[in-house]
Amino acid sequence: MPSLVEFLQSIVNGVGVGLIYGLVGIGFCVIYNASGIVNFAQGVFVMLGGMVCEVLLTQLGIPLIFAVALTIPLVAVSGIVMELAIVRPMMHRGATLFAVILATLAAQIMIERITLLTFGDRPRTYHEFTTGGPLKIGDVAIGYQLFWILGCGALLVLLLWLFFTRTRTGRALRACSQNREAAQLLGIPVARMMLIAFALSAALGAIAGILVTPTQYTAYNVGTPFGVNGFIAAIIGGFGRAGGALAGGLLLGVLQALAIVALGAGFKNVAALSFLLVVLLFFPNGLFAGFGKGAKAH
Amino acid sequence: MTSHVTTSIEPSGIRWQSILPIVAVLALAGLGLVSSDYIVTVLGFAFIYAIFCTGLNFFMGYTGQASFGQSAFAAIGGYGSAILCTDYGWEPLLALLATMVLSGIAAVLVGYPTLRLRGHYLAMATFALGLIVYEITIEWTALTQGYMGYSGIPPLGIAGFALDTLKHQLVALVVLSLIGVGIAARLRQSRFGRALASIAGSESAAQALGVDIARYKLIAFVIAALYASAAGSLFAHFVGFISPEIYGTTMVIQSFAMLYLGGIGTMWGPMIGAIIVSILPEALRGLKEMQDIAYTAVLIFILIFAPRGLAGLSVLFRRAHGRVQEKA
């Protein structure tokens, strides 16, 4: 039986990684809303974020703030390339849904292998943004990086909300998600919106990867768990609103942390994946069949 | 949703088009038998994958569904055979059949809730399935020996009669894969196969025609799982060693590359694709390290520019051929 300290500690850990899942989940939603596609390569942006940042920071010795400022646009470009080279030609040719999903999955594996050949299979990490810590509350230790994750997560949700409600581009993206043909008729450049959605989504993944790497490690193959868990977060949250995906991520992160305490670290992904199957079992169309309408309407 | 399935039904009677692939396969196998063991190994993999893809084609090509987690059933077959044969001294053929039954039961249990899903959710749920089994093969070391893998798996055989040489095994694999294609072809042309094609065309129309969609999908899924399980077992017996990576995401991508290259929804597509994709990296020697990148590149290229694969070319040919006949 785990003690109270263990229990609280696992919840603290779960909150951190859960917020990351939430950010990845938002990335899924941004692309899905704009294009109707679930990008199975979403996790690869997280991996690239961590890897590129590590290379810039540790190998090239660039200061943290510049490394981050460089990493995010670099990864965003990878999202743009994916849209231009794979998704767009397939959509133009009227490819089936499963074919597009498969192509994004293939893209993920291709990027992973290229990363493996370029940087090797050594797991990498870098120091936390603020050194020192962890903060001790009783026997529960809270790493400073968790506060960075919390702060950046909150800031990002606020910025996204402002972007989607206050800017022309954000509103145009929402118009695309409601009805692409109507948006086109209103003169919204739908093709460019899809490009923006992929870039934004990749940038979100990159930020998640940059934030989470100090608390664990990054390697060429960390993308898939992040992608799948982000997808689960998006489903729980209703596949529409950013806040929902973030809340879904938190729930999943905490559940997973508790599963680690109960079952051991090795089975954390099995626990999350089983949870996905259970969620899908009871909500065969996803939770957003119930909540989605409310999310779209606001 | 559009489907790749051609709804036309092949006329009965044997035509040269249906004999030609068999002859080609046998010729290739014969060529393999007089070559080095290395080439025999490559061809062996090709025919194992042909079995795997023929099953996958049943579920994706004929029925118009998607499973990104068929590697799970191959893992059950492979590890089942490995454990039963090395730890319990079972007959390889018996172990192969027993693990097929196990995979079938697993497919029913998993498919029953999962196959109600559609689109992205079906894709993600089946993908999750493959990942769950992959993680278990790594983490449940007491059962699977984790990354260490299982070695010393005996070659295929029954009642003391074992296929000791690689060439004997290749013959067995060719025969088994041809039987596999034959069974799939017979099922495709049966009442059951036509029901699957109707589901692929339009689920609501199929339902209106009285097709029990849930049941037929489940049966197609189970058949695909049986093929995958057999392929997994055969791999274990052929190589004598298995580890978690063999039944990982790479297997999924590789099999899809084969299926789409050969032509999804066609009778010979899976086997043609399996052979070409298996031989290609061997032909281009320098590609070894880049193998996975080449697979994914080929797959993406086909998905964009030729979603019907090489079999699409044969349809063109047949159309031209038909026109000539009409004129005559």
Side-chain angles (χ1 to χ4, degrees), chain B residues 53-129:
Chain B
C53 294
T54 304
L56 186 63
N57 188 35
F58 215 93
F59 188 61
M60 288 195 69
Y62 296 167
T63 321
Q65 303 300 302
S67 174
F68 292 67
Q70 287 305 105
S71 55
F73 299 111
I76 293 177
Y79 273 97
S81 284
I83 293 166
L84 287 176
C85 291
T86 44
D87 292 354
Y88 296 94
W90 277 44
E91 293 283 350
L93 194 65
L94 226 58
L96 185 139
L97 293 173
T99 51
M100 277 176 79
V101 172
L102 188 66
S103 293
I105 294 169
V108 172
L109 292 179
V110 169
Y112 184 73
T114 312
L115 298 186
R116 291 189 303 161
L117 304 170
R118 294 210 175 107
H120 297 115
Y121 295 102
L122 179 63
M124 192 47 105
T126 50
F127 187 53
L129 214 62

Side-chain angles (χ1 to χ4, degrees), chain A residues 28 32 36-38 40 85-86 89-90 93-99 101-103 105-107 109-110 113-114 117 224 227-228 231 235 239 266-267 269-270 273-274 276-277 280-288, chain B residues 1-4 60 64-66 68 110 113-114 116-129 131-132 135-136 139-140 249-250 252-253 256-257 260 289-290 292-293 296-300 303-305:
Chain A
F28 270 111
Y32 179 78
I37 288 169
V38 171
F40 271 48
I86 299 172
M90 292 193 79
R93 288 176 169 77
T96 62
L97 178 69
F98 291 136
I101 291 175
L102 186 55
L105 189 62
I109 298 204
M110 185 191 269
R113 296 293 144 166
I114 293 173
L117 285 181
T224 307
V228 174
F231 182 80
I235 289 182
F239 240 116
F267 286 98
N269 288 328
V270 175
L273 292 163
S274 308
L276 166 72
L277 290 183
L280 289 173
L281 177 63
F282 291 108
F283 303 90
N285 299 312
L287 287 179
F288 84 102
Chain B
M1 204 178 87
T2 55
S3 74
H4 301 295
M60 288 195 69
Q65 303 300 302
F68 292 67
V110 169
T114 312
R116 291 189 303 161
L117 304 170
R118 294 210 175 107
H120 297 115
Y121 295 102
L122 179 63
M124 192 47 105
T126 50
F127 187 53
L129 214 62
L131 289 177
I132 287 175
E135 293 271 344
I136 289 176
E139 299 294 343
W140 194 356
T249 330
T250 313
V252 176
I253 289 296
F256 275 116
Y260 274 92
E289 258 211 321
M290 315 266 286
D292 287 335
I293 297 173
T296 49
V298 166
L299 179 57
I300 291 171
L303 284 171
I304 294 173
F305 296 106

